[in-house]
Amino acid sequence: MAGQQDKAALISETRRRFETEYLPDKSDKYDSRDVERVQQDDNWIENYLIWRHDVVDDTLKMIDESFQWRKEYMVNDLSESALPKWLFENGALYLHGYDKEGYKLFWFRVKFHTKDPKLQFEKKKFVAFWLEHYARREHGKPLTVVFDMAETGVSHIDLDFIRFIINCFKVYYPNYLSKIVIFEMPWIMNAAFKIVKGWLGPDAISMLKFTNKNEVQEYISVEYLPAYMGGIDTFKYSYPPLVDDDFQTPLCENGPITTEDETESKEEVEADSKEAGESSEEQILNAKKVCSVEQISKPEENDKTDSKTKNAKKALTVFKGPLLHISPAEELFFGSKEIGEKKCLIVLTNVTKNVVAFKVRTTAPDKYRVKPSNSSCEPGTSIDIVVSLHGGFAASLQDRFLIMAAEMDQASGAGIPELAQFWKEVPRNKVMEHRLRCHVVESSKPSTLTLKENSFNIPTKTNEDLHLQLIQLLQVNRRLQEQIDRCVWFQQLIVVLALFLVAIAAFCFYLSYTQRC
C-alpha cells in the first residue's frame, strides 16, 4: 500500500512540475493532445518514471524530449493514408506473432532496407506509425524487436536508422521493450554493433539476444518462426491490407451459417450441451464446426450463467471504454492442463443511452467456445460472456481476444439478421475495439501426481502434438544434414589445400635440387 502511495505521489509531482516548469515556455512545441493525455493518464507518466528509475528530474527531461519528437513527427496524426504506400509494400517492418513470453514481435527485415538519406524521414515516420499503432492497442504491453539479418551485408548497414529505432524505445516509448533478438548477424557487423551497445546503455545491454538458427527458438517458438529460421510459420507478408494477424479469422460470422458440415456441427454442439447439463435447439441450428462460438438467445443467458461460470475466474479490473466497460481489463486467467481451470468470465456494461451491438473474435478459433459471441446490450445493463476451452486444448500466452462494439439506432432490431446487416454497414471509425490476452496459471501440484493423473485421464500425446513433434524432428534432421554437408565440404577443402601445399613443397624441393646439380 505504501508503495502505491509513493508511486501516486511521484506521478503527481511529475505532472505538477511538468505543468509549471515546462509547459509555460514550450507549449508551442508540444501537441495539445499529448499535453491533455499527460494530465489525465497516470499509466503513461508511470512508464516514464519506471524507465528513469523514479528520478523525477530525469523523467521530466524524457517527457520533454519525447513530446517534442511526437509533434515533429506528427505521431498523433500518423495513419495508413498519411504514409507512402511503398513503405507498406516493402515488407521491411511489420508486427506479427509472439515470443515465448507472450510479447508481440516487431520484425525488422534488414535485407529489405536500403540506406537512402532522401527517404530516411519517411522511413522513421513509418517506424513511429507501427509503434503508435501498437501502443494504442496494447496500452503499455512490451514488445520484442527482431532484427532479422539473414542474407544481409555491408550495403544494408544503416546505423542512423538503427539508432532511431533504439531511441524510440529509450526515449519515445518508455518501458515498451522486452528484448531485442538479433538473428544471424554477419561477422562483418560486429564492430557496428559495439556502437549499438553503447547507444543502449548498461541497463539495456542485457536485452540484446544474439541468435542463430539453433538458438532463436530459445526466445520464439517454431509456431512464429519462418522456415529459414527453423520454424513452421507459413506467414508471408503482403499488403494490402495492413497486417493484423491477431484476428484475421473471426470466431463466427453474424447469423446462422449453413455448410456441408452442418450435421457434424450439430453432434459437436449436442456433446457440449450434455457436459453443461442443458440442451438448446437454437444453438445446434446456428453452430458451425470451424467456429469457436455458439450463439445463445438472451432469455437463456441468465439461466445459464450460474452453471457456466461456476469455475470461471472472477473479473477484478475494468477497462472503461466510451461504449462499454469491460472486465477484466487486460487478461483472461486460465489454468494449465493440470489445474483444469477452463472457463473465464467477461462482463460487458453498456454505459451509453443506446443499444450497443458487440461481437467477439479470437486468434485461436479452434480452441475456444464463447457464449454469446454476437449479440447486443441494452442501455445501462450488463451482460456476461463465458469463454471456455474446448476439446482438451490448453490456453497459451499467445492467444488473444478482440471485443468489437458499436452503437445501434433505436429503430434497429437486435435479432441475428439485423445484427448481420448492422455489422456490414457500420463505419469502421464508429467501432470500439478492445483486446484481451490470456494468462496461464501454472499448477502447484507435484510433478509425480500430475503424471499419474495424465496417465489415467487424458492421452499424453494428441495427433496434433505428434505431428508438431515430427515437423520439429524433420527440421532438426535437416539442420544436422546441412551441418554435415558443410563439414564434408570443409574437409574436402582442407584435402585440396593440403595437396596444394604438398605440390608446392615438392616443387621447391625440385628447384633446390636442380640448382645444386
Side-chain angles (χ1 to χ4, degrees):
M1 189 68 180
Q4 292 179 348
Q5 291 176 346
D6 292 342
K7 183 64 72 175
L10 283 171
I11 292 171
S12 178
E13 181 186 353
T14 303
R15 181 178 285 125
R16 177 184 59 79
R17 288 185 57 185
F18 176 77
E19 291 174 351
T20 57
E21 298 176 19
Y22 286 83
L23 195 53
D25 298 329
K26 297 186 176 182
S27 60
D28 59 324
K29 296 182 179 179
Y30 304 148
D31 188 315
S32 60
R33 289 166 289 186
D34 292 332
V35 174
E36 182 180 351
R37 182 180 171 187
V38 85
Q39 290 170 338
Q40 299 174 357
D41 192 342
D42 289 352
N43 290 331
W44 205 20
I45 297 177
E46 185 177 359
N47 279 336
Y48 283 106
L49 283 166
I50 291 171
W51 206 242
R52 284 295 177 260
H53 306 291
D54 291 339
V55 179
V56 176
D57 287 339
D58 293 345
T59 301
L60 288 168
K61 292 176 183 177
M62 188 177 184
I63 292 174
D64 174 49
E65 184 178 349
S66 174
F67 277 24
Q68 291 191 50
W69 171 82
R70 289 177 65 85
K71 183 167 184 179
E72 179 189 357
Y73 280 77
M74 298 181 293
V75 173
N76 288 311
D77 297 312
L78 289 177
S79 63
E80 281 186 76
S81 59
L83 293 166
K85 188 177 179 181
W86 65 266
L87 284 170
F88 294 93
E89 294 172 337
N90 178 257
L93 291 163
Y94 55 86
L95 292 165
H96 172 69
Y98 302 88
D99 69 8
K100 286 190 172 181
E101 296 178 276
Y103 297 127
K104 190 74 177 178
L105 299 176
F106 183 41
W107 292 82
F108 178 24
R109 300 289 305 280
V110 181
K111 76 172 185 177
F112 294 128
H113 175 80
T114 53
K115 187 174 181 179
D116 187 343
K118 295 179 181 178
L119 302 174
Q120 199 76 322
F121 186 68
E122 291 295 329
K123 290 182 178 180
K124 289 178 178 179
K125 287 177 71 174
F126 188 52
V127 174
F129 163 81
W130 274 117
L131 294 179
E132 189 69 10
H133 174 76
Y134 175 81
R136 289 173 181 171
R137 249 175 37 176
E138 294 293 343
H139 309 292
K141 176 79 171 177
L143 52 74
T144 294
V145 178
V146 181
F147 277 97
D148 179 4
M149 306 188 77
E151 302 178 30
T152 60
V154 179
S155 61
H156 299 100
I157 296 178
D158 189 347
L159 291 180
D160 177 59
F161 193 68
I162 293 173
R163 185 173 190 174
F164 173 79
I165 293 176
I166 291 172
N167 275 342
C168 282
F169 292 102
K170 280 188 65 178
V171 182
Y172 313 137
Y173 291 89
N175 211 33
Y176 268 86
L177 181 64
S178 70
K179 68 183 76 68
I180 299 175
V181 178
I182 300 170
F183 178 73
E184 288 194 349
M185 185 183 74
W187 65 268
I188 200 168
M189 295 188 182
N190 284 336
F193 265 83
K194 287 182 180 178
I195 301 173
V196 171
K197 287 182 180 179
W199 294 336
L200 282 169
D203 294 336
I205 289 294
S206 60
M207 295 181 177
L208 278 178
K209 312 295 180 184
F210 292 90
T211 65
N212 55 32
K213 199 171 183 179
N214 298 321
E215 298 165 343
V216 69
Q217 291 180 30
E218 182 179 342
Y219 307 103
I220 307 169
S221 64
V222 293
E223 180 184 0
Y224 291 113
L225 287 174
Y228 68 88
M229 286 187 174
I232 57 173
D233 190 1
T234 57
F235 169 81
K236 290 185 179 180
Y237 180 86
S238 63
Y239 180 85
L242 188 68
V243 174
D244 187 357
D245 60 316
D246 278 356
F247 309 100
Q248 289 181 350
T249 304
L251 283 169
C252 193
E253 292 300 336
N254 311 294
I257 302 175
T258 303
T259 69
E260 296 177 358
D261 299 326
E262 184 176 319
T263 303
E264 196 169 354
S265 299
K266 290 180 181 180
E267 294 173 357
E268 185 177 290
V269 174
E270 287 171 357
D272 289 342
S273 299
K274 288 179 182 178
E275 291 176 5
E278 61 196 22
S279 175
S280 171
E281 185 177 352
E282 182 181 352
Q283 290 178 28
I284 296 170
L285 292 173
N286 293 340
K288 184 180 179 184
K289 183 180 179 181
V290 297
C291 296
S292 301
V293 175
E294 298 169 356
Q295 304 286 346
I296 63 175
S297 60
K298 289 186 178 181
E300 295 172 320
E301 288 167 10
N302 293 332
D303 297 335
K304 294 183 180 182
T305 299
D306 291 339
S307 62
K308 289 289 183 181
T309 61
K310 188 184 294 182
N311 297 320
K313 184 79 177 179
K314 295 299 180 184
L316 300 175
T317 56
V318 179
F319 167 77
K320 296 182 179 180
L323 306 181
L324 296 174
H325 286 184
I326 301 171
S327 182
E330 295 182 353
E331 293 183 327
L332 296 177
F333 286 81
F334 288 94
S336 60
K337 283 189 176 181
E338 292 81 6
I339 293 178
E341 184 92 6
K342 293 188 174 182
K343 293 182 181 179
C344 286
L345 183 68
I346 303 174
V347 181
L348 305 182
T349 302
N350 184 349
V351 294
T352 72
K353 296 181 179 179
N354 298 317
V355 176
V356 172
F358 69 86
K359 60 181 177 179
V360 185
R361 292 182 174 181
T362 185
T363 58
D366 295 332
K367 282 187 181 183
Y368 298 96
R369 293 283 186 263
V370 180
K371 302 180 182 181
S373 68
N374 183 15
S375 187
S376 61
C377 188
E378 296 294 326
T381 63
S382 297
I383 190 167
D384 293 345
I385 298 175
V386 179
V387 180
S388 56
L389 282 162
H390 171 70
F393 286 106
S396 69
L397 295 173
Q398 290 84 11
D399 296 344
R400 295 290 193 276
F401 287 85
L402 172 66
I403 298 171
M404 304 173 68
E407 282 187 283
M408 301 181 72
D409 295 332
Q410 295 291 348
S412 301
I416 291 175
E418 290 82 5
L419 286 172
Q421 188 63 30
F422 171 76
W423 285 112
K424 289 179 182 177
E425 297 175 351
V426 64
R428 178 81 180 185
N429 60 357
K430 299 292 184 181
V431 178
M432 171 192 133
E433 294 186 353
H434 184 66
R435 288 160 170 78
L436 298 171
R437 54 184 180 268
C438 290
H439 182 89
V440 181
V441 181
E442 296 298 331
S443 172
S444 58
K445 297 180 181 180
S447 58
T448 53
L449 179 61
T450 300
L451 288 172
K452 288 180 181 178
E453 289 182 349
N454 284 343
S455 63
F456 285 102
N457 295 331
I458 59 173
T460 56
K461 299 288 182 183
T462 65
N463 288 337
E464 186 175 342
D465 292 333
L466 292 172
H467 179 66
L468 180 60
Q469 285 191 353
L470 177 60
I471 292 175
Q472 291 173 343
L473 287 172
L474 290 172
Q475 295 286 351
V476 171
N477 181 66
R478 193 187 70 182
R479 289 197 297 271
L480 289 173
Q481 186 61 48
E482 289 174 352
Q483 290 177 357
I484 291 170
D485 291 342
R486 283 197 294 269
C487 289
V488 170
W489 179 85
F490 189 65
Q491 288 176 344
Q492 291 173 342
L493 180 63
I494 292 174
V495 169
V496 171
L497 290 174
L499 290 174
F500 183 71
L501 291 173
V502 168
I504 291 175
F507 181 73
C508 292
F509 179 79
Y510 172 77
L511 287 177
S512 64
Y513 177 78
T514 52
Q515 288 174 356
R516 289 178 184 176
C517 295

